[in-house]
Amino acid sequence: MNVKIAPSILSADFSRLAEALEAVERGGADLVHLDVMDGHFVPNITIGAPVVRSLRRVSSLPFDCHLMVSEPQRHIDDFLEAGAQMISIHLEADPHLHRALSAIREGGAKGGIAINPASSAELLGDALDYCDYVLVMSVNPGFGGQRFITSVIPKITRIRGMIASRNVDVEIEVDGGIDVATARSVVDAGASILVAGSAIFGKGDPVERIRAIRMAATTSLV
Ligand code: DX5
Ligand code: ZN
């Protein structure tokens, strides 16, 4: 399987985001993951559409905007206009997934459904027919640098089964606690997009960190 690496800039130095984007592009990242938090759906506040719009000018990688906000449908147009190629909304935050996902797709971006660790895979249900990817949270959203929750691995497997039985073209993205130790397990379960924040923007060179995670995710253990 072709694995995509999506560095989350949440753990980068916010005063030097252009340099962070340049480094991940040099490191062969496939996407840039942008964590949008509103201090309401999650405890933290991060960035909004104006920052995404500015960063759009300094990167040629696709932008994957993860909206951890209440009433996300109110903000979809802003992120489309800011230049997002992928926008995910939490199923816990919006009872009108069909409407929100349709708006994202009609705006020319891929629509994703994000799902918290304690939310059952079965809640995705019919909404799998209306999305391009599922963002499986492997930590509780709100902060970078948390420990990977291993019980999401069987959930990823279940979601992969639901996607296969519906015969839909839906990718699985995993977000939270991904590093060289955990990457392989989520790929084996069915994920093809790996978000990593602190494992890329912690200590060391982001270019090397991306290569190491890709190697760990794709190298056969047998
Ligand atoms: C958490 C965010 C993640 C975060 C991941 O709420 O959605 O994208 O940046 O950070 P790490 O990889 O450090 O767990
Ligand atoms: Zn995220």
Side-chain angles (χ1 to χ4, degrees):
M1 190 193 292
N2 186 23
V3 174
K4 296 176 193 150
I5 307 292
S8 161
I9 58 163
L10 185 61
S11 294
D13 179 344
F14 271 28
S15 71
R16 299 164 71 188
L17 288 178
E19 287 167 52
L21 291 187
E22 185 276 326
V24 299
E25 195 153 352
R26 197 156 33 86
D30 300 280
L31 310 166
V32 176
H33 185 86
L34 298 135
D35 287 304
V36 177
M37 305 186 189
D38 66 351
H40 186 264
F41 179 69
V42 290
N44 225 347
I45 298 176
T46 55
I47 61 166
V51 176
V52 175
R53 188 178 304 118
S54 294
L55 294 177
R56 187 60 292 173
R57 294 200 304 268
V58 296
S59 176
S60 60
L61 293 174
F63 277 6
D64 164 28
C65 290
H66 176 193
L67 304 191
M68 287 162 275
V69 303
S70 302
E71 299 189 67
Q73 70 281 356
R74 291 175 50 214
H75 305 283
I76 287 168
D77 284 349
D78 287 347
F79 286 94
L80 288 168
E81 283 162 22
Q85 279 71 35
M86 299 167 65
I87 300 175
S88 61
I89 53 172
H90 271 262
L91 66 76
E92 300 86 0
D94 194 340
H96 307 293
L97 285 179
H98 180 270
R99 183 158 60 206
L101 291 163
S102 298
I104 294 168
R105 295 169 116 186
E106 281 162 18
K110 289 187 174 174
I113 306 171
I115 177 166
N116 281 339
S119 299
S120 170
E122 284 65 34
L123 291 171
L124 292 164
D126 290 352
L128 287 173
D129 294 345
Y130 314 120
C131 73
D132 300 293
Y133 62 105
V134 174
L135 196 174
V136 180
M137 290 305 302
S138 41
V139 297
N140 289 295
F143 304 93
Q146 302 179 81
R147 185 194 293 256
F148 181 79
I149 299 171
T150 51
S151 58
V152 301
I153 293 174
K155 183 157 98 176
I156 296 167
T157 307
R158 281 215 305 286
I159 295 170
R160 176 170 66 175
M162 292 164 66
I163 291 168
S165 67
R166 284 176 177 268
N167 198 22
V168 286
D169 186 12
V170 175
E171 284 193 273
I172 300 176
E173 176 172 24
V174 181
D175 183 6
I178 298 295
D179 57 19
V180 290
T182 55
R184 178 78 199 191
S185 60
V186 298
V187 171
D188 284 346
S192 61
I193 307 172
L194 306 186
V195 177
S198 53
I200 288 174
F201 293 110
K203 293 197 187 85
D205 178 7
V207 172
E208 287 310 316
R209 296 296 200 93
I210 291 169
R211 288 192 188 133
I213 293 170
R214 192 186 296 285
M215 184 79 79
T218 55
T219 304
S220 172
L221 295 177
V222 291

